[in-house]
Amino acid sequence: MQRYKSMGNFAALELRIIPFCLKLTMSKEKQQTSISELGEFGLIDRLTKNIHLKNKSTIKGVGDDAAILDYKDKQIVVSTDLLTEGIHFNLMYVPLKHLGYKAVIVNLSDVCAMNAVPKQITVNIALSSKFSVEAVEELYSGIHLACEKYGVDLVGGDTTSSLTGLTISISVLGEIKNENIVYRSGAKPTDLLCVTGDLGGAYMGLQLLERENEVFKGNENLQPQLEGYDYILERQLKPEARVDIVSAFRETGIKPTSMIDISDGLSSEIMHLCKNSNVGCNLYEDKIPMDSQTKKMAEELNINPLVAALNGGEDYELLFTISLEDYEKIKLDPDFTIIGHMTEPSEGSNLVTTSGSAIPLQAQGWNHGK
Ligand code: ADP
Ligand code: MG
């Protein structure tokens, strides 16, 4: 946890002022330029003109028909994600800059989950006419910020129009040495089940934003009540990818036996590891790490915080298994919490409650925006 929190607040992504102000920032503050004024090529130029390539493996970035990469003797990891307005995000309370940042992070997180290091991204966007050039620049300022912070090069993309809102799809490429690759499928019975950071915060942040959005829709003069909940708002609006954990694994000589990132909620991710590795699991309720703001918000909204951790999703922490011999290497590290252990497949995947009873885990998945 410490390592994550020590990454600190990212001043350039001001959280407080932006939620619920989007309509204002888009329409009143600045002069707006319509995309048709610039044209597709003009827009791409505006969005990519300040890119400075950072990685040796990037030979050619934006500007030709395709990018050229050179990974020498390394293996290449590729992953992609698609986000649609109204399904995956609501622009009433998700600022465009944060959306751009988060769209990059969710991809970097997938690369981390393979124990690899992200190096390049490509960005595809479809835009309806409600978006001005300035709005798209705002989206890209978040994308560029994530690229800077994580040392990733934006090497290409595609731009097109849409009839309904914004769609954004990002692909990421990363590198890894063959012997370091970690799949979902390597867990063995008796392995320890570990997680980084804390869980349920992103979900509770979303609940808070949705509640305040409802209030705002009823009366636009009411200011949102967000004080005291910075951490869970950040977890929802400005998640981070655990590249620091991948480096920590290298430094301490740990190679997880299996790994996955938590995008859909602990419960369903555990079940993926169990299914792919053909093992069972005991997860201990009292070991699941949760921040005090997550619990406080849950109490305020009358939600069991355990549900947020198990089924909430979007925490982008890493869930992994290690063999018992590696226990000594991680036991004192505050970044890792041991939350259970793997078992024979016949025992199934269970949540062991604080009172000691075992309940079969259920994969609910994460129904975005619901
Ligand atoms: P093509 O006609 O071959 O698709 P484009 O004119 O769409 O070429 O793209 C020109 C260059 O700009 C390419 O290098 C492409 O990767 C890049 N590009 C296009 N759209 C984007 C975008 N939204 N973000 C980043 N780069 C982009
Ligand atoms: Mg194109």
Side-chain angles (χ1 to χ4, degrees):
M1 251 176 272
Q2 235 142 29
R3 198 172 283 126
Y4 174 83
K5 286 184 173 163
S6 71
M7 282 177 166
N9 279 348
F10 220 48
L13 273 180
E14 263 297 335
L15 273 175
R16 286 163 193 285
I17 49 165
I18 317 181
F20 311 101
C21 299
L22 195 68
K23 279 195 286 188
L24 297 176
T25 55
M26 279 174 68
S27 60
K28 285 189 193 152
E29 269 179 17
K30 281 193 230 158
Q31 181 74 29
Q32 303 290 299
T33 316
S34 77
I35 291 173
S36 57
E37 257 174 77
L38 267 190
E40 182 193 328
F41 299 138
L43 177 66
I44 295 171
D45 232 33
R46 280 269 280 263
L47 299 175
T48 59
K49 63 174 187 270
N50 289 325
I51 293 176
H52 304 287
L53 299 175
K54 299 178 274 294
N55 288 302
K56 270 195 284 189
S57 52
T58 313
I59 307 299
K60 172 74 188 172
V62 171
D64 213 307
D65 295 304
I68 303 287
L69 310 176
D70 182 357
Y71 272 87
K72 302 205 160 59
D73 55 347
K74 299 266 179 61
Q75 309 276 312
I76 303 176
V77 182
V78 184
S79 183
T80 193
D81 258 295
L82 176 65
L83 304 173
T84 317
E85 184 177 347
I87 305 291
H88 301 97
F89 56 88
N90 181 345
L91 290 179
M92 275 301 290
Y93 55 79
V94 178
L96 283 164
K97 189 170 184 176
H98 291 69
L99 177 64
Y101 191 86
K102 183 168 172 176
V104 177
I105 295 302
V106 302
N107 279 279
L108 304 189
S109 179
D110 280 321
V111 171
C112 293
M114 302 305 289
N115 204 23
V117 182
K119 293 290 176 185
Q120 289 91 12
I121 59 165
T122 60
V123 178
N124 301 323
I125 46 173
L127 302 158
S128 69
S129 56
K130 78 174 176 186
F131 293 93
S132 63
V133 170
E134 287 75 14
V136 188
E137 282 184 318
E138 194 61 20
L139 177 77
Y140 266 70
S141 67
I143 292 174
H144 290 310
L145 200 56
C147 287
E148 278 309 309
K149 183 169 182 182
Y150 288 88
V152 167
D153 292 325
L154 171 55
V155 297
D158 205 16
T159 310
T160 183
S161 38
S162 119
L163 292 177
T164 51
L166 169 68
T167 299
I168 174 165
S169 171
I170 297 190
S171 297
V172 61
L173 296 115
E175 66 176 37
I176 189 162
K177 280 193 188 147
N178 196 10
E179 66 265 26
N180 290 331
I181 301 174
V182 177
Y183 294 103
R184 296 177 177 182
S185 56
K188 301 270 178 298
T190 80
D191 279 358
L192 297 172
L193 179 67
C194 311
V195 73
T196 60
D198 57 75
L199 303 178
Y203 179 76
M204 291 320 305
L206 179 65
Q207 299 311 306
L208 171 60
L209 285 165
E210 291 208 325
R211 179 185 78 180
E212 293 305 314
N213 189 36
E214 287 306 311
V215 174
F216 183 77
K217 280 197 285 192
N219 179 353
E220 300 204 356
N221 295 318
L222 285 178
Q223 277 305 300
Q225 298 293 307
L226 303 171
E227 290 82 38
Y229 289 115
D230 311 38
Y231 181 66
I232 57 171
L233 288 172
E234 246 182 73
R235 296 290 280 165
Q236 171 56 223
L237 292 174
K238 197 198 70 125
E240 303 293 351
R242 301 305 312 251
V243 291
D244 57 329
I245 299 295
V246 173
S247 324
F249 286 152
R250 297 282 192 284
E251 281 159 25
T252 45
I254 294 173
K255 185 183 172 195
T257 52
S258 69
M259 184 149 65
I260 190 168
D261 70 322
I262 302 188
S263 49
D264 292 336
L266 181 60
S267 193
S268 96
E269 315 304 1
I270 288 178
M271 293 185 75
H272 282 306
L273 291 186
C274 287
K275 183 163 176 251
N276 284 274
S277 300
N278 190 31
V279 291
C281 170
N282 282 335
L283 163 70
Y284 294 90
E285 177 185 356
D286 59 352
K287 302 282 187 230
I288 299 172
M290 277 185 267
D291 188 81
S292 57
Q293 283 187 17
T294 304
K295 294 182 194 159
K296 196 163 155 242
M297 192 74 246
E299 195 178 317
E300 207 175 305
L301 297 180
N302 226 344
I303 296 173
N304 183 346
L306 187 62
V307 173
L310 287 177
N311 299 325
E314 296 200 293
D315 288 312
Y316 300 107
E317 295 294 342
L318 293 173
L319 176 73
F320 58 96
T321 53
I322 54 166
S323 67
L324 278 172
E325 291 109 71
D326 280 338
Y327 171 66
E328 291 297 323
K329 292 185 194 156
I330 74 152
K331 70 173 184 193
L332 293 177
D333 195 321
D335 275 322
F336 304 124
T337 309
I338 300 169
I339 55 174
H341 60 86
M342 310 324 265
T343 60
E344 292 297 332
S346 57
E347 293 184 39
S349 314
N350 301 295
L351 173 72
V352 182
T353 65
T354 313
S355 63
S357 47
I359 303 169
L361 280 177
Q362 282 176 350
Q364 215 166 43
W366 174 229
N367 205 350
H368 289 272
K370 294 279 149 19

